[in-house]
Amino acid sequence: MHTYDVVVIGAGAMGSAAARALAAADREVLVLEQYELGHVRGGSHGGTRLFRLAIDDEAELLRAARARELWEELESETGVQMLDPVGGVDHGLDERQVGESAALLERHGVPYDVLAPEAAAERWPGMRFSSQVLYQPWSGRALASQALTAVRASAGSLGVEFRPQCAATGVRVAGDGVEVETAAGAVRGRQLVVTAGPWTAQVLAGALDVPAISASQEQPRFFAPVDESAPWPVFVDRRVRAYGVFEEGHGVKVGLHATGPRISLDQRDFQVEPARDAELAGYVREWFPGLDVTRSEAISCLYDNTERGDFIIDRRGPISVAAGFHGEGFKFVPLVAHYLRELVTGAGSAPEVFRL
């Protein structure tokens, strides 16, 4: 049986970027994906994500700043734009929160501006604000779909082998490596990387215990702008943990973060839950004069959630794991890939907070 240097389970954003990073470090990499590449059943599909630096957590801010540098490196290496710095606003903050966040950004040299609600509404007439607004010019859109396509293409050019429609049905540590069972037969790797989102515990059953990871089905919507030429920043409303981003051809995606029901993976139905949908429509009607609530498109997202609320990025023996990103992981994709490369090659470790 041929032995790969690394077998990766899960070809979403994290797995594909990790495979590319490992191939760039001269590892022979095989990626197994249970569905087709680019499928919509996990957490990596869709055209856009928010990219923003944290304003209330210093360690996360520094990680996001490092991720921004790594995104720019990927853009340079692939020739594909992955970040679009349209700017971002945090609002729904009281004066104390604005002051503390501004001080944190100031301390680390991150540009920002504090706007009165009237000035913010004049700049972004599609939105309404009731208190001071914290603006970050470095924030913007992660162009998720084209970024992931470029990362996979780059990985392929470095020799990464992708096997879609090839689910991992079992994992066992064998000798000095790992064997992964699939319907097409076993594959062997000296090391294993699991980036399978809410399927992680299922994939690793009997091979490695991981913290509980639940799945939730979230339901943002794309709302049509009243004025197609109006500017839109990415935005986070801290009062209700709402977020949004404009996407060409669809409108402005608005969602209420982490409000969806917990589901079992075999119960994923992609259906809108009426009460939560009505809550979202009411929120948009109140705070977005520039969006037409009568013209919208519901979408379904899958979050993988840990009970403690932190990511999992760690290694035990020949198995490395990255999971539990609860809808906030995409902006960190190249940084997570960096951590996984360091874990696999023994060159470093992930932050203590992410340990198993």
Side-chain angles (χ1 to χ4, degrees), residues 197-251:
W199 290 272
T200 296
Q202 175 182 313
V203 165
L204 287 171
L208 179 66
D209 290 332
V210 297
I213 301 173
S214 63
S216 61
Q217 183 170 260
E218 308 295 332
Q219 52 182 51
R221 275 186 178 270
F222 283 112
F223 293 89
V226 174
D227 178 359
E228 295 290 344
S229 65
W232 289 94
V234 301
F235 53 86
V236 171
D237 183 345
R238 297 283 295 281
R239 290 166 305 185
V240 293
R241 300 191 75 195
Y243 65 90
V245 56
F246 172 77
E247 185 173 321
E248 289 85 352
H250 294 281

Side-chain angles (χ1 to χ4, degrees), residues 24-287:
D26 297 322
R27 276 16 181 216
E28 184 186 19
V29 183
L30 168 68
V31 183
L32 304 176
E33 168 54 53
Q34 63 178 325
Y35 301 117
E36 69 277 8
L37 296 182
H39 66 84
V40 300
R41 300 169 185 86
S44 294
H45 67 286
T48 53
R49 297 288 192 279
L50 276 71
F51 179 87
R52 57 188 286 274
L53 304 185
I55 64 170
D56 58 353
D57 184 310
E58 187 166 28
E60 185 176 336
L61 182 150
L62 294 174
R63 286 192 288 270
R66 177 59 178 147
R68 178 174 175 267
E69 295 172 353
L70 294 172
W71 278 117
E72 291 173 348
E73 288 180 13
L74 276 175
E75 289 179 323
S76 178
E77 292 168 8
T78 63
V80 175
Q81 184 181 13
M82 300 182 183
L83 294 183
D84 180 17
V86 296
V89 298
D90 285 77
H91 64 110
L93 305 163
D94 60 34
E95 288 190 14
R96 177 189 59 79
Q97 290 172 314
V98 170
E100 291 176 351
S101 297
L104 179 61
L105 297 172
E106 185 83 33
R107 184 157 63 248
H108 293 286
V110 178
Y112 71 92
D113 198 4
V114 177
L115 304 175
E118 299 80 11
E122 183 177 355
R123 184 165 182 176
W124 300 288
M127 305 176 68
R128 191 167 71 81
F129 307 94
S130 62
S131 60
Q132 287 182 321
V133 174
L134 190 64
Y135 171 65
Q136 288 185 40
W138 282 3
S139 293
R141 308 187 303 165
L143 304 177
S145 181
Q146 67 189 51
L148 186 47
T149 298
V151 165
R152 287 200 187 110
S154 178
S157 72
L158 292 168
V160 173
E161 178 184 347
F162 287 91
R163 289 189 194 174
Q165 307 284 3
C166 188
T169 57
V171 169
R172 72 184 185 93
V173 177
D176 60 351
V178 176
E179 284 190 6
V180 181
E181 293 294 333
T182 78
V187 296
R188 182 175 174 83
R190 294 181 180 86
Q191 295 206 49
L192 175 69
V193 171
V194 179
T195 53
W199 290 272
T200 296
Q202 175 182 313
V203 165
L204 287 171
L208 179 66
D209 290 332
V210 297
I213 301 173
S214 63
S216 61
Q217 183 170 260
E218 308 295 332
Q219 52 182 51
R221 275 186 178 270
F222 283 112
F223 293 89
V226 174
D227 178 359
E228 295 290 344
S229 65
W232 289 94
V234 301
F235 53 86
V236 171
D237 183 345
R238 297 283 295 281
R239 290 166 305 185
V240 293
R241 300 191 75 195
Y243 65 90
V245 56
F246 172 77
E247 185 173 321
E248 289 85 352
H250 294 281
V252 178
K253 179 168 63 176
V254 184
L256 301 175
H257 178 64
T259 60
R262 294 292 197 267
I263 61 168
S264 61
L265 292 169
D266 60 356
Q267 293 178 331
R268 182 82 187 278
D269 60 10
F270 295 84
Q271 298 302 305
V272 167
E273 196 281 313
R276 290 183 173 88
D277 199 44
E279 181 183 2
L280 175 62
Y283 169 73
V284 171
R285 188 176 293 109
E286 181 177 3
W287 292 100

